[in-house]
Amino acid sequence: MSLGEWIGRRFWESRQFYSAYIALFIAISNWITIQYRLLLENIPILNAMFSNIWVFLVVATVVFTILSILGGHYIHRKRQFRIEQAVAIEENPYLYRAAPGKERDLMIPMGILQLDATEAILRANNMLTDEKKKQIDAFKNELKKLSQGLPIGAVPAASTTTARQGVEKRDNALA
């Protein structure tokens, strides 16, 4: 591993740690300080309940930890995660295209060969019907499109341009 790559990886790791932990700690600290200073100190009933910032800190930590866990489970995991995965799938340029390399150069030709062999076996055993022949030909045509770098299926409109540009950049880099 080169020094530049090592530094790049450490930089990426520091960004991940910062965004996940340090920024969260700073945001929560700011929220607690602002709420205590602007809200709790100026409302007599709340000021009596939370006479010290440490009492408020403990109560806020317990309440918001419980709310965060419940919210993370019921909102993010049950609803938002599906949406995030759908968007990630639409952004994936290889969802409707074959990835260059082993998929395009090995797996797709092997799939075409398997379909040819299956067709020959069915024909030799007099089991090849017109319907099966159409299915095999449809699959072979799709695999041939993929082997040429063309998309198959319905490429989402939002990601078509991005996906095409990403595939062209990767293909050019590999050529």
Side-chain angles (χ1 to χ4, degrees):
M1 178 182 313
S2 70
L3 179 63
E5 186 177 344
W6 186 87
I7 291 170
R9 288 176 183 261
R10 300 303 79 82
F11 179 69
W12 180 84
E13 290 166 352
S14 70
R15 284 189 358 231
Q16 297 301 311
F17 181 80
Y18 177 84
S19 66
Y21 300 103
I22 295 174
L24 176 65
F25 175 75
I26 291 170
I28 291 171
S29 300
N30 284 340
W31 184 88
I32 289 173
T33 305
I34 291 168
Q35 295 308 312
Y36 185 80
R37 184 80 175 141
L38 295 177
L39 185 64
L40 299 178
E41 284 185 351
N42 296 321
I43 299 174
I45 297 172
L46 294 176
N47 194 3
M49 286 177 25
F50 302 108
S51 59
N52 188 332
I53 193 168
W54 293 107
V55 174
F56 179 67
L57 178 65
V58 169
V59 172
T61 301
V62 170
V63 169
F64 288 112
T65 299
I66 293 169
L67 286 175
S68 296
I69 291 169
L70 293 174
H73 179 75
Y74 289 107
I75 293 173
H76 183 78
R77 195 163 182 222
K78 297 283 185 180
R79 291 184 179 87
Q80 189 62 29
F81 185 70
R82 289 186 205 136
I83 294 169
E84 288 176 10
Q85 288 302 306
V87 170
I89 287 170
E90 288 175 5
E91 290 175 348
N92 183 352
Y94 295 118
L95 180 63
Y96 300 97
R97 296 177 181 268
K102 70 175 182 178
E103 186 174 340
R104 193 180 296 167
D105 298 335
L106 177 66
M107 302 307 290
I108 291 174
M110 193 167 54
I112 293 171
L113 181 63
Q114 287 175 333
L115 287 173
D116 288 339
T118 301
E119 184 177 355
I121 291 169
L122 290 173
R123 184 176 286 116
N125 291 319
N126 292 325
M127 296 178 64
L128 184 63
T129 64
D130 288 337
E131 182 181 329
K132 286 182 184 175
K133 173 73 173 145
K134 287 179 186 175
Q135 285 178 334
I136 289 171
D137 288 342
F139 285 130
K140 276 201 286 192
N141 288 336
E142 294 295 305
L143 286 172
K144 286 177 183 175
K145 283 184 192 177
L146 286 173
S147 70
Q148 296 167 358
L150 300 172
I152 62 167
V155 180
S159 65
T160 304
T161 305
T162 307
R164 188 176 304 121
Q165 290 169 348
V167 168
E168 288 170 0
K169 284 180 187 176
R170 287 182 184 96
D171 288 350
N172 291 337
L174 291 172

